[in-house]
Structure formats: structure tokens, C-alpha cells
Amino acid sequence: MAKNFVSNSSESIRMFKSDLLEPLSKVKYYVPLLIYVPLIFFLIWKSLFDIKIPVLEFFGWLAFGLFIWTITEYVLHRWIFHFYPSADWAKRIHFIFHGVHHDYPNDANRLVMPPSASIPLALGFWFLFDWLLPDTKVYAFFIGFIGGYLFYDMVHYALHHANFKSGLWKKLKHHHMLHHYQDASKGFGVSWMFWDGVFRSGFEKKSEIK
């Protein structure tokens, strides 16, 4: 990602001239919960009470969905959100999707994915997994996948606004702040640091935020 500047203010810059599009680029942190928690409850009902998947099988597919989310989070962040194009129109798209967050990391209205982006992505993943997975297994699988996404969104918000004193959360926050303020070409795991270790894209233990 090309380096521009990093604002330390909590300002929320305007991205669109259109009064219709501009509100769609902002979202409060709790909005994804209002959208996807009811979906998760529906999928639980569908899996356990309508289709009646055996409980152990249900949790197995759920865990598999969560695992696939962790890979998806890393791939999207590293190779999609941090792909910096050369064409001007593509640079504009890049800025809208992720560049603005790196320039204004303290903007509380652009820390979780707005429904205008997350809903189309969720539908795309749903149809992909429904095509790939055995019949009816997508319901339990998608609980883990979309649950992982919600965890990612809430963790991302917390990493920017909560003051963790110790433990894993402090390490996770330090990891993400290094990504923002030291080297954006490393530290792509947000809610999980595991894949940064696998792909050797993490930070040295002695790294500090400068």
C-alpha cells in the first residue's frame, strides 16, 4: 500500500459528493450485530431443528466454517485490501475499501464493514459455499464463517478504541498498531495472528510502535 499520511484525529472525512452514497460508507460498530446475529439464530434453527443435523456434526461444520474464515480474513486483508493498483480509477476504489482506514485509523465510523459492502460479500460467499459443500451442510458451516466475520469486526473496533492492559488482547492490539503505524506490509491478521506466523508476515518480537 502506498504511504500517504496517517491522521491522529478522530475526524471522518467525506468520501463521496453524493448525499446518498456518503452515509453508506459509514456505520456504527453495533450495526453488523443487528444484521447478522438474527441470521445466525436462524441458521442454528435451520440446522438443528429443521434439518436436524446431529449435534457433533453440527459443531464440526461450525468449527470448519470458523477455520475457513480465519484464512479468508488473512487473504482478503493481505492480497485484496492491500493490493495497490496503478490506474487512477482503481486507486479510488482501493481508497474507498481500505486506504481511508489507513489514512484515518481513528475514524470510529469506518472501523467495521458497512452493510453496503458486507451484505453483497456475505451473499457471494453463501452461494459459493452452497455450491461447494455437501447438501444442507452450508447452514452449520456458515454459522462459523459469519460468526468469525462478526468476531473480526468487533475485535477490529476494540483494537482501535479499547485500552488493553495485558494478555492476548494487548498483544493483538500491539500487532495491529504495528501494521498501521510501522509497516503496512506486515501484520495482516486482525482477529487472529496465526496466519501471519504461517506466512512469515508477522513482526519481530522486539518491534515497537514508532
Side-chain angles (χ1 to χ4, degrees), residues 70-89:
T70 67
I71 303 173
T72 303
E73 175 190 314
Y74 182 88
V75 169
L76 285 176
H77 192 190
R78 180 173 184 176
W79 286 293
I80 305 299
F81 294 163
H82 277 266
F83 172 74
Y84 194 74
S86 56
D88 288 340
W89 64 268

Side-chain angles (χ1 to χ4, degrees), residues 179-210:
H179 171 74
H180 271 283
Y181 294 100
Q182 186 179 95
D183 189 351
S185 68
K186 296 179 180 179
F188 299 102
V190 177
S191 59
W192 308 82
M193 294 185 289
F194 173 76
W195 294 109
D196 277 311
V198 172
F199 291 102
R200 298 182 180 180
S201 57
F203 299 97
E204 298 293 332
K205 290 184 178 180
K206 63 182 179 181
S207 295
E208 295 182 357
I209 300 172
K210 297 180 180 180

Side-chain angles (χ1 to χ4, degrees), residues 4-5 28 30 32 49 113 118 130 170 187 189 194 205 210:
N4 294 316
F5 76 100
K28 297 298 183 182
Y30 53 80
F49 300 101
M113 191 175 293
S118 71
D130 190 37
K170 184 178 180 180
F194 173 76
K205 290 184 178 180
K210 297 180 180 180

